[in-house]
Amino acid sequence: MLFTVDDSKQLGELSQQLGTLSEEEAKYATEHTLRRYLKARKNNISKAAKLLRGTLDWRKNYGVKSIRAEDVAESGPTGKLYTMGCDNTGRPTLFMRPAVDTCREAHDLNIKHLVYNMERACSYLDEANHIGKIIVVLDCLNYTSSNSPPLKSSKATLQILQDHYPERLGKFLILSAPWYFNMFFKAISPFIDPDTREKIDFVAPKDTPGIRAELEKHFDMSTFPDFLYGDWKGEEAFNAATYYTSEGE
């Protein structure tokens, strides 16, 4: 990534405000990362430094780098949240399917599962070639009040994504949202950053052909799971037995 003179000055000032970093922190706080945090705080260096310092502390205290597949496998055997494949621009895809969640009340485990999958998705990014964002597909098929995530978990998810993964979201597609989801979305909307809200698109068609037509704007449907209106059939689209292994990663 090329930086202008002004960019370089801001990056230098941000680095100075962060102070001396540990080896692990320095690996994370790359020029790409500094620029993301500056953008997230509209080039306010002090605010960007505070946000990034918060992330560095959180990553250390939460043990982000030490989370392994086997630590979170119990949370996602049904494929409620996983990353696989890319959209037409090369952005890694994160799939969310709340209706198949079988342990929605396990808050701490579910948050760790989220962090694991965010780290896994981000590991597929190629910032040197300007691929620094992910695309999220939230499938609301069969979404009801009985399988919706607790508000506590939803607020924690938003906080983690906005505070510790700023400028990572490229697009958020919500499929087949029923009236109940719209109520839920209205409840959490006050906690969603305006810039994030602009990246959220509701895929409105109620029929499969209509949804496919919208998805085709972003994906090669031959590589998209058949349970999400694509043509990729079979358990290889998501197989927990292989996904939650070092080989699956």
Side-chain angles (χ1 to χ4, degrees):
M1 181 182 295
L2 298 177
F3 297 97
T4 67
V5 173
D6 288 340
D7 285 332
S8 297
K9 181 180 179 180
Q10 286 184 320
L11 292 170
E13 291 179 2
L14 177 53
S15 294
Q16 285 186 339
Q17 288 203 22
L18 288 173
T20 302
L21 302 179
S22 68
E23 181 179 355
E24 192 62 40
E25 289 174 335
K27 288 180 180 179
Y28 182 79
T30 64
E31 288 186 338
H32 297 288
T33 299
L34 298 182
R35 187 161 184 167
R36 283 195 297 111
Y37 279 74
L38 278 169
K39 185 176 181 180
R41 288 299 177 260
K42 296 178 172 54
N43 293 322
N44 184 305
I45 296 171
S46 296
K47 290 183 178 180
K50 181 179 180 180
L51 184 65
L52 181 48
R53 170 45 62 190
T55 292
L56 295 173
D57 292 343
W58 170 77
R59 292 179 67 85
K60 177 183 178 181
N61 296 332
Y62 196 75
V64 171
K65 296 295 289 184
S66 66
I67 300 175
R68 297 291 178 264
E70 56 267 26
D71 299 329
V72 298
E74 183 181 349
S75 177
T78 58
K80 69 176 183 184
L81 174 65
Y82 71 99
T83 181
M84 187 173 292
C86 300
D87 71 357
N88 293 334
T89 66
R91 296 179 297 194
T93 306
L94 189 69
F95 295 102
M96 294 182 171
R97 305 166 62 213
V100 300
D101 188 358
T102 56
C103 58
R104 58 190 295 272
E105 299 299 335
H107 174 80
D108 292 342
L109 178 60
N110 288 334
I111 295 302
K112 182 176 287 189
H113 184 249
L114 166 74
V115 173
Y116 167 80
N117 278 286
M118 281 299 301
E119 290 293 305
R120 185 161 170 171
C122 290
S123 73
Y124 302 144
L125 296 170
D126 185 3
E127 292 186 294
N129 289 308
H130 309 291
I131 299 175
K133 297 180 183 293
I134 67 173
I135 183 169
V136 178
V137 178
L138 170 60
D139 179 33
C140 294
L141 184 66
N142 298 321
Y143 183 97
T144 66
S145 59
S146 62
N147 57 38
S148 63
L151 185 59
K152 175 184 177 181
S153 297
S154 297
K155 290 172 64 175
T157 295
L158 282 173
Q159 181 179 6
I160 287 173
L161 296 182
Q162 293 179 163
D163 290 354
H164 304 312
Y165 297 92
E167 296 300 318
R168 281 305 192 200
L169 179 63
K171 181 67 68 175
F172 197 119
L173 302 177
I174 301 177
L175 314 182
S176 307
W179 68 269
Y180 182 80
F181 179 86
N182 292 328
M183 292 178 58
F184 169 77
F185 187 79
K186 184 177 181 180
I188 65 171
S189 287
F191 306 102
I192 303 177
D193 179 86
D195 290 337
T196 300
R197 196 179 299 119
E198 289 183 2
K199 300 172 183 177
I200 299 174
D201 285 347
F202 282 82
V203 179
K206 301 300 182 182
D207 60 305
T208 296
I211 294 175
R212 272 187 62 101
E214 290 297 315
L215 289 173
E216 285 172 347
K217 297 176 181 178
H218 303 279
F219 300 97
D220 174 358
M221 298 306 287
S222 68
T223 64
F224 214 66
D226 61 340
F227 51 76
L228 283 173
Y229 313 101
D231 301 323
W232 189 9
K233 301 182 183 300
E235 67 176 13
E236 67 271 16
F238 177 79
N239 185 342
T242 55
Y243 186 77
Y244 294 107
T245 63
S246 57
E247 292 80 6
E249 295 177 341

